[in-house]
């Protein structure tokens, strides 16, 4: 597994010509954070896009989430398994997390960080050309289990930082359709965000825009054990 120096870009700063010639490599971006390019086959990508389209319909479909400050997030979000609202999981009704996503999550963890994985929630985010996501931590889960991220459609610049601050050091990673990114262990609480979408870079006819699915263990069963 190749490990880029922290602060370097993986694939972002190279020219499009060089990118097209070099196979993209699996890389450990930080301890516990693994990028696996092209993890999903073209058939799997198509199946996931179709499933997300169905799940995104009402009731309990995809919508723009309002932040506590009053503004709307630029992505559209679909909660599966449990409904997420900034910054907690609520008891409101949602569609169940499909078994296929649980299976893919287990396989993703087994092939990267190892260990058991029992995801019970997913957030599916849709990005149009202008959408982005600021640097944040995924810290609404009580479980320390990894986050599994699957990307579909247009590529994006994904910024993976550190656990202390929103600022450097970080690594910019180009996430393309079919890529897997898993972060757990010492990187579970790392700040991360989507700097920009690279319009028109996805597989022909798959999707206009970008979909990202993140699977998580909410740790709901741990709640009653807290003081
Ligand atoms: C997220 O941080 O929840 C989404 C990340 C992504 O869209 O790649
Ligand atoms: Mn996140």
């Amino acid at each position: 597994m190749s490990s880029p120096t922290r602060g370097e870009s993986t694939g972002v700063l190279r020219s499009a010509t060089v990118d097209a010639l070099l196979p993209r490599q699996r890389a450990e971006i930080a301890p516990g954070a693994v990028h696996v390019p092209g993890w999903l086959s073209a058939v799997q990508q198509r199946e996931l896009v179709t499933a997300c389209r169905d799940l995104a319909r009402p009731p309990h479909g995809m919508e723009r989430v309002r932040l506590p400050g009053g503004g709307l997030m630029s992505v559209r979000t679909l909660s599966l398994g449990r409904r997420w609202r900034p910054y907690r999981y609520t008891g409101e009704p949602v569609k169940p997390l499909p078994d296929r996503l649980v299976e893919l999550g287990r396989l993703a963890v087994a092939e990267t960080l190892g260990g058991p994985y029992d995801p019970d929630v997913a957030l599916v985010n849709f990005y149009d050309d202008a959408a982005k996501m600021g640097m944040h931590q995924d810290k609404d889960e009580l479980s320390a289990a990894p986050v599994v991220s699957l990307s579909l459609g247009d590529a994006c610049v994904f910024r993976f930082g550190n656990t202390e601050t929103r600022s450097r050091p970080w690594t910019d990673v180009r996430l393309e359709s079919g890529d897997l990114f898993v972060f757990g262990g010492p990187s579970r609480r790392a700040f991360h965000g989507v700097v920009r979408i690279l319009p028109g870079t996805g597989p022909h006819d798959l999707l206009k825009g970008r979909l990202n699915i993140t699977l998580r263990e909410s740790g709901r069963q741990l709640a009653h054990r807290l003081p």
Side-chain angles (χ1 to χ4, degrees):
M1 188 186 293
S2 71
S3 301
T5 308
R6 234 22 206 146
E8 270 182 9
S9 289
T10 58
V12 173
L13 295 180
R14 292 196 304 253
S15 73
T17 319
V18 173
D19 269 345
L21 293 173
L22 294 175
R24 296 181 309 131
Q25 304 269 334
R26 173 178 168 134
E28 186 174 30
I29 302 300
V34 182
H35 174 212
V36 188
W39 189 71
L40 294 166
S41 70
V43 170
Q44 287 174 317
Q45 291 174 49
R46 200 160 290 283
E47 280 171 4
L48 284 177
V49 170
T50 303
C52 288
R53 276 209 178 98
D54 288 346
L55 292 163
R57 294 199 181 96
H60 319 309
M62 189 171 258
E63 57 195 358
R64 287 181 75 184
V65 171
R66 194 167 291 284
L67 293 165
L72 285 171
M73 290 180 73
S74 59
V75 294
R76 287 175 167 72
T77 302
L78 166 70
S79 296
L80 298 171
R82 290 184 75 185
R83 191 169 190 218
W84 177 81
R85 281 293 169 267
Y87 294 99
R88 67 198 174 94
Y89 292 95
T90 76
E92 296 161 280
V94 286
K95 293 187 181 108
L97 181 62
D99 291 345
R100 180 74 187 120
L101 283 179
V102 175
E103 264 173 45
L104 280 174
R106 289 198 174 128
L107 195 60
V109 170
E111 291 185 10
T112 51
L113 305 182
Y117 192 49
D118 198 14
D120 60 329
V121 295
L123 296 182
V124 182
N125 285 315
F126 173 75
Y127 296 74
D128 63 19
D129 292 358
K132 51 180 79 170
M133 193 175 288
M135 293 296 274
H136 66 279
Q137 293 167 298
D138 287 0
K139 58 178 184 186
D140 303 326
E141 299 79 23
L142 297 171
S143 164
V147 175
V148 168
S149 150
L150 301 170
S151 292
L152 300 161
D154 284 341
C156 77
V157 178
F158 179 64
R159 181 161 288 171
F160 197 77
N162 61 86
T163 54
E164 305 302 317
T165 71
R166 282 188 165 75
S167 45
R168 291 172 192 275
W170 61 48
T171 303
D172 282 350
V173 183
R174 179 178 163 124
L175 290 185
E176 294 192 6
S177 196
D179 286 10
L180 165 67
F181 196 98
V182 180
F183 54 103
S187 283
R188 177 60 181 79
R189 294 277 194 264
F191 283 89
H192 58 278
V194 173
V195 181
R196 65 181 175 278
I197 299 299
L198 304 167
T201 53
H204 180 62
D205 271 357
L206 181 67
L207 161 76
K208 184 173 158 29
R210 172 175 187 261
L211 273 174
N212 175 261
I213 305 170
T214 46
L215 292 159
R216 303 123 191 271
E217 280 187 12
S218 70
R220 177 201 328 231
Q221 73 285 5
L222 301 174
H224 68 278
R225 291 191 217 147
L226 292 175

